[in-house]
Amino acid sequence: MRIPLSWLREYAPVPEGATAEQVLETMVSVGFEEEEVHRPSDEISGPVVVGQVLSREPEEHSNGKTVNWCQVRVVPEGQEQSLTGKGIEPSGVQGIVCGAHNFEVGDKVVVTLPGAVLPGDFRITPRKTYGHTSAGMIASVRELGIGDDHDGILVLSRIGLDPELGTDALELLGLHDEAAEINVTPDRGYGFSIRGVAREYCHAVNEPFHDFVLDAAGQAPESTADGGFPVELADQAPINGVPGCDRFVTRVVKGIDPSRPTPTWLASRLRLAGIRSLSLPVDISNYVMLEFGQPLHFYDLAKVNQKIVVRRAQAGEKLTTLDDKQRTLDAEDLLITDASGPIGIAGVMGGATTEVGADTTDVLVEAAHFDPITIARSARRHRLPSEASKRFERSVDPEIQAAAAQRAVDLLVELAGGTAEPGAGEVRVERPQSEPVRLPAGYVTERVGVDYTRERIEELLTRIGCTVQRAESNGADGDAAWLVTPPSWRADLIAPEDLAEEVARLDGYDKIPSRLPIAPPGRGLTRRQVGRKRVLTSLAAAGLTEVLSYPFVAAEENTLWGAPSTEAAVAGVQLHNPISEAKGRLRVSVLPGLLDTLRRNHARGFRDLALFEAGLVFLPGSQVGSAHVPPGAVQLEQSVLDDINAGIPDQPLRLGVVLAGNDAATAPGVTAHAYNWQDALDDALLVGQALGVRLTVAQGKHQAFHPGRTAELTTPAGEHVGWAGELHPQVVQQLNLPDRTCAAELDLDVVMGAQADGVQAQSLSVQTAATQDVALLVDAELPAAALVDTLAEGAGDLLEDVRVFDVYEGDRIESGKKSVALAMRFRAPDRTLTADEASASRQAAVDLAAQRHGAVLRG
């Protein structure tokens, strides 16, 4: 919101010499953020004065251009020029070459004399041109920086001015004024008006504010006459049960002069406020909107057919708005209509058919109060942000429509020469009375940390317009409270927290002590948070890079990664309004996004990649979504909450790993190792180790993984955890991935659910270990992990570790068999093992493998 200081001074005690920077500093103290300072005098400086054309001699030149050699008087006749400088004539008559032709002898114009600087650092100096020395320039609107018109110079009589010669034109055109721009947060819509800003300025300087809208009793005026233009409110489909319009005021002004120019003071204030001057009626509408915070709309009365009806749109209805675009309307749009159909989208933009134009003489004034949700949705639906919708969607004072309409009528009569019709049309829908907010006596002090007195709290809340009543129960201080009724312009004050914030804001944020809160005992990370952090830290320490990807995928990706086979059905959550039709579903696996990231980085030259991501996936149940769309700030029934919760998909935490390229860059003395399925499996097992869960590995089958290089992982209890291995060659080719890309995906919720309550740390032994190898012939289908488990069980407590270091199938191995070579490490906690003890333990392990799996010891 831009605030012209001359306008603010009319309603707030802003010192005459105060700058925009000082006003911003004051507004910051009551919680408004400063944005910019708008000061025309920073870009334009004098001497810029009023002059009168004494003569105009057209001269045609060889380049085909006709210019005017003019004599312009810039001081009253009979007076000498008081200004001095190179090129300024003491006689007060300047010779100026002008290329424009839209003026006549006798016209008063704006003259920039030598020494002046115009916007764009354009400096005026005497210069030789077209055979004359031109000592100055007759300025256009655009050259002065007050408009876009560059077709001709500014003739002052055409904007209703007849000043004395030599008058400071910068002062005349309001170019010495300045504006302070503040950022208005969405909850403080009243700040989009001079009325609201002036009130806050008075709060900041501790001065009383005299509200120019309210009467002596603190009430907004109502319409004082019956009749007026007829209006009907017919909202048959209110959103969340709230009518789209609950008050509509109309006034009629006849006989305006559409040719009258906008007064300079009004145009300059609009310009400083960031609004372009268009025509006198439109400018008056915008002026009142900025002053009161109440958007208005003016109709050409002759173009409105019978009465106005405010209703919702019908399917297929269309409307051409003031920007000359035809729009297809939605059933939620609230319309202003007459007998011909829609003539405006309520609170957003009017229609072209009833636009006030150059031939309008009779004006119908509309001042209405619309539902913020309705207006916000329409403005976004049609991509039509406007100054009106910006205010309506943040809530407008519902009690000032009659006052704003009267202000517009007064200006139309005063400035446009119209005659106000005595009748005033008004229809209202009774608004439910808002319940007072109960504010316990000690609430504000507890929340803010400042020991406010009761009197101070009452004073501050009353100052912002609240009605404050004490409500004490049984006379006990512990039950003391206030019943606070917010004013009509503060729809954001709905809870004790809001009132506490207002007290702190007005009393001064600088008075709030700087004390760090003391954390209550027994708090910290949850078990799930600790587990997730441990897993991510372990993978990062192992050299992988964490990434985050979007959860939006194509249906085909869910089908590929969501089930181990094509026969299994994969349910997904369809997005109602996806950012891309190609990615219209929520993921059931984290691998699609991870692989997109890998592919994109590989295409940009990064060949060695080891990436991981922990994120939620979305697994819908029998119900997806809910028919209930509850409004805000409403206590919901338990049945509604249950239905909403039932429609929320299950969202387990998944971990994905993708690998491609080598584990290290090739360098002297460094042999690069190409990632393979074993590396993906190792990363998956690392997750189990980080959580203290020993995952079981078995040969697995998954449609997206290589049929012979896929491991299925389960918990010790047999619960499925996920997959690890090399991706299927067809999938690699189809997705344009690097050759032999490997991946793993685990359900972290399942793994963390298998955690023991505590993990017993093993002590470090100082005894010497004994290592023996064993090679066993077993069935080719037997998982190596099962053989390892059997050996560990048979070897007993002396076995410290067993691992597979070779698997061989081929020559000298019979068909259907494989040779598995394992390294076994034995250690006793209290002594050095003998070779016989290690061999006995090894033999016990081999015997159990032979008994359970038919294993044969190779010689």
Side-chain angles (χ1 to χ4, degrees), residues 8-264:
L8 183 61
R9 285 190 181 95
E10 292 186 5
Y11 305 114
V14 180
E16 194 61 37
T19 64
E21 288 84 356
Q22 292 170 326
V23 170
L24 285 174
E25 183 179 350
T26 302
M27 300 305 296
V28 166
S29 68
V30 287
F32 285 104
E33 295 180 12
E34 60 179 274
E35 288 288 333
E36 293 184 61
V37 169
H38 301 272
R39 185 180 292 115
S41 59
D42 288 344
E43 294 189 344
I44 184 171
S45 60
V48 181
V49 300
V50 174
Q52 186 173 34
V53 180
L54 301 181
S55 66
R56 170 190 168 194
E57 300 176 12
E59 297 179 353
E60 187 173 350
H61 292 268
S62 58
N63 61 3
K65 184 174 182 179
T66 300
V67 300
N68 297 298
W69 170 241
C70 304
Q71 298 297 312
V72 184
R73 179 176 292 281
V74 293
V75 296
E77 189 172 0
Q79 293 186 16
E80 293 294 323
Q81 175 64 271
S82 60
L83 300 175
T84 60
K86 182 179 179 181
I88 297 180
E89 293 293 330
S91 65
V93 177
Q94 300 288 130
I96 298 174
V97 173
C98 181
H101 305 283
N102 65 323
F103 63 98
E104 302 296 337
V105 173
D107 284 342
K108 290 185 178 180
V109 293
V110 175
V111 180
T112 58
L113 296 175
V117 180
L118 298 183
D121 198 28
F122 182 62
R123 299 178 180 274
I124 305 300
T125 59
R127 60 193 183 96
K128 188 77 171 179
T129 180
Y130 292 107
H132 301 281
T133 298
S134 182
M137 185 175 74
I138 305 175
S140 70
V141 168
R142 185 174 178 181
E143 288 163 342
L144 293 170
I146 60 175
D148 297 326
D149 184 10
H150 196 53
D151 294 335
I153 63 171
L154 172 61
V155 178
L156 296 176
S157 61
R158 294 172 190 166
I159 60 172
L161 297 177
D162 185 21
E164 184 181 27
L165 300 185
T167 300
D168 183 352
L170 300 183
E171 183 72 32
L172 180 71
L173 298 173
L175 295 175
H176 285 316
D177 199 359
E178 53 188 299
E181 183 174 358
I182 59 173
N183 178 33
V184 179
T185 54
D187 60 326
R188 300 173 71 181
Y190 66 93
F192 280 111
S193 67
I194 296 297
R195 178 196 184 204
V197 172
R199 182 188 303 277
E200 291 296 329
Y201 187 92
C202 290
H203 295 337
V205 298
N206 201 26
E207 292 285 345
F209 172 66
H210 303 288
D211 197 328
F212 55 86
V213 174
L214 306 182
D215 58 21
Q219 300 295 318
E222 300 290 339
S223 300
T224 56
D226 295 328
F229 198 88
V231 179
E232 177 185 348
L233 303 182
D235 185 0
Q236 301 299 321
I239 297 176
N240 299 328
V242 179
C245 177
D246 55 32
R247 187 179 188 188
F248 201 104
V249 174
T250 60
R251 296 292 302 274
V252 173
V253 179
K254 293 187 175 182
I256 70 167
D257 181 356
S259 65
R260 285 198 183 186
T262 299
T264 305

Side-chain angles (χ1 to χ4, degrees), residues 710-732:
T710 303
E712 180 180 7
L713 297 106
T714 57
T715 65
E719 190 173 4
H720 174 78
V721 171
W723 311 89
E726 182 179 320
L727 296 186
H728 197 292
Q730 292 180 355
V731 172
V732 170

Side-chain angles (χ1 to χ4, degrees), residues 697-754:
V697 180
Q699 182 70 40
K701 292 183 179 180
H702 191 288
Q703 59 177 328
F705 285 81
H706 193 291
R709 300 168 188 165
T710 303
E712 180 180 7
L713 297 106
T714 57
T715 65
E719 190 173 4
H720 174 78
V721 171
W723 311 89
E726 182 179 320
L727 296 186
H728 197 292
Q730 292 180 355
V731 172
V732 170
Q733 183 179 13
Q734 178 184 350
L735 299 182
N736 195 27
L737 297 170
D739 292 341
R740 310 200 72 166
T741 298
C742 301
E745 182 173 29
L746 303 179
D747 190 326
L748 282 186
D749 285 340
V750 173
V751 182
M752 288 190 282

Side-chain angles (χ1 to χ4, degrees), residues 765-772 798-801 824-829 831-835 838:
S765 176
V766 297
Q767 304 300 327
T768 304
T771 302
Q772 296 192 14
L798 293 180
L799 181 67
E800 185 178 72
D801 181 58
M824 305 178 72
R825 185 171 69 242
F826 302 92
R827 195 193 311 263
R831 68 189 187 282
T832 300
L833 284 180
T834 65

